[in-house]
Amino acid sequence: MALLEVKDIHVYYGQIHALKGISIQVQPSEIVTLIGANGAGKSTTLNTISGLLRPLQGTIRFEDEDLTAIAPHNVVAKGLVQVPEGRRIFGQLTVMENLEMGGFTRTDTQAMQNDLDRVFTLFPRLKERMRQVAGTLSGGEQQMLAIGRALMGGPRVLLMDEPSMGLAPVLVEQIFETITDINKLGTTILLVEQNAFMALQVAHRGYVLQTGEIALSGTAAELRENEDVKRAYLGG
């Protein structure tokens, strides 16, 4: 049984039919990526899983529990935590205060301390700057903070929306190495990423979205070798 199953979801923005029967599965310990052009429905899928959008039709199940209609903070409490597109850190708060906000649904103090230690191991720079106002960090540091804040929620599944957006190439490499490290530590990841080449390097499986529908799916290796994917997303 899948850890996370999205089945036949339809989402509208007013009269615009944004998702047209999307179905995906994520198994425990996987990295699954959603790739596609701008406007394909990738972020809408994540926002629907997170409870920020409501599907008109379809279901979202996590460990066989129906999450389709529950509030976003309850989705987080269940163990699905999103790293939003554009980071959306609390710019007026310190790095440490941002990390503490990530654990707002939790009461397990020792486990939270363990997760804080893990964040500082993954991102030593955040430890160095934990008293710094977050809005003064560089773009790469803010992305580290956004990921660290999500990890403080104790995610079973980490939902990552465009983590490489706006970063220099050397920082993109670091972010994807970190994604792999997080997964190796036991966190399942659903990754939305415009950089299809990098996404398919780290993912186990993937789905290609086109105008709100699944156009292709398969292992990352299969998608890397698919001629349509090469032409459209990999520069082949």
Side-chain angles (χ1 to χ4, degrees), residues 116-136:
L116 182 62
D117 293 341
R118 177 169 67 143
V119 169
F120 286 154
T121 298
L122 286 166
F123 303 115
R125 194 170 301 178
L126 295 184
K127 186 173 185 178
E128 295 169 4
R129 304 195 176 193
M130 62 182 176
R131 302 302 173 196
Q132 184 170 331
V133 174
T136 66

Side-chain angles (χ1 to χ4, degrees), residues 86-113:
R87 300 151 198 152
R88 298 187 190 177
I89 59 167
F90 301 106
Q92 300 304 311
L93 302 182
T94 67
V95 167
M96 190 65 189
E97 288 167 338
N98 269 268
L99 294 174
E100 290 169 346
M101 288 294 290
F104 79 102
T105 63
R106 302 176 66 181
T107 57
D108 48 344
T109 306
Q110 185 56 57
M112 286 183 65
Q113 182 59 51

Side-chain angles (χ1 to χ4, degrees), residues 52-80:
L52 299 171
L53 296 171
R54 290 278 177 257
L56 188 66
Q57 178 183 325
T59 58
I60 300 161
R61 303 190 71 83
F62 178 60
E63 293 189 317
D64 207 34
E65 181 177 359
D66 192 342
L67 303 187
T68 311
I70 75 171
H73 67 278
N74 289 326
V75 174
V76 172
K78 296 290 184 184
L80 289 93

